[in-house]
């Protein structure tokens, strides 16, 4: 499948690529694509140059590798190198949405309150003369 068949041009003239097309450019394809932060990169020619080896790129071929890319802590130089490999943006419908953070325990009011009350009750019994 060619890029022209599945991709489209956005209003700004940027190439918009569906995730289905990215998935076709996996480790078994002639060209290797990956997605990082909603942008699609053709990393085929970078396999031999990658300081960590080409195998790690092949493991992330044809998929969104944003988390893996960020976990490694790439240098600013590495991030700049991506501009030469950029071929388009992932279609907005295919972008991985960050999981909604659960607010239920972000501020642990219930456990903190329970611990405080428990310590007050224990203190009362510990220091009460019999």
């Amino acid at each position: 499948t060619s890029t022209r068949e599945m991709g489209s041009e956005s209003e700004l003239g940027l190439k918009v690529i569906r995730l289905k097309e990215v998935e076709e450019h996996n480790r078994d394809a002639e060209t290797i694509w990956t997605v990082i932060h909603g942008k699609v990169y053709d990393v085929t020619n970078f396999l031999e140059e990658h300081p960590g080896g080409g195998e790690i790129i092949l493991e992330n071929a044809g998929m969104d590798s944003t988390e893996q890319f960020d976990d490694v802590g790439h240098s600013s130089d590495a991030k700049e190198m991506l501009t030469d490999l950029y071929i388009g943006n992932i279609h907005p419908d295919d972008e991985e949405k960050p999981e909604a953070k659960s607010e239920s325990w972000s501020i642990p009011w219930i456990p903190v309150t329970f611990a405080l009350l428990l310590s007050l009750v224990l203190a009362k019994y510990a220091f009460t003369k019999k």
Side-chain angles (χ1 to χ4, degrees):
T1 307
S2 78
T3 304
R4 296 179 196 273
E5 290 173 16
M6 294 188 73
S8 64
E9 297 290 325
S10 73
E11 295 172 13
L12 301 174
L14 299 173
K15 183 89 177 138
V16 178
I17 302 169
R18 296 303 305 234
L19 187 59
K20 182 177 177 4
E21 184 175 5
V22 173
E23 290 170 352
E24 292 174 5
H25 293 269
N26 58 40
R27 72 179 310 132
D28 298 325
E30 287 183 31
T31 55
I32 308 299
W33 292 4
T34 193
V35 178
I36 301 171
H37 295 289
K39 295 183 177 180
V40 181
Y41 299 95
D42 182 341
V43 294
T44 310
N45 295 329
F46 190 64
L47 290 173
E48 307 252 338
E49 300 172 32
H50 187 259
E55 186 59 33
I56 190 69
I57 293 176
L58 290 172
E59 288 176 16
N60 294 286
M63 59 183 270
D64 188 325
S65 57
T66 300
E67 186 176 341
Q68 294 85 337
F69 183 85
D70 288 346
D71 286 350
V72 171
H74 284 89
S75 67
S76 57
D77 288 343
K79 292 173 184 171
E80 283 180 32
M81 292 174 85
L82 287 176
T83 58
D84 294 334
L85 308 174
Y86 172 78
I87 57 172
N89 293 331
I90 200 74
H91 192 282
D93 292 346
D94 294 336
E95 281 190 57
E96 289 189 12
K97 307 289 187 248
E99 291 181 25
K101 186 177 175 184
S102 173
E103 296 295 325
S104 61
W105 294 103
S106 61
I107 301 176
W109 291 109
I110 295 172
V112 169
T113 305
F114 179 76
L116 181 62
L117 289 174
L118 182 61
S119 62
L120 289 173
V121 170
L122 290 175
K124 180 181 179 190
Y125 283 110
F127 297 111
T128 303
K129 294 182 181 179
K130 292 184 179 180

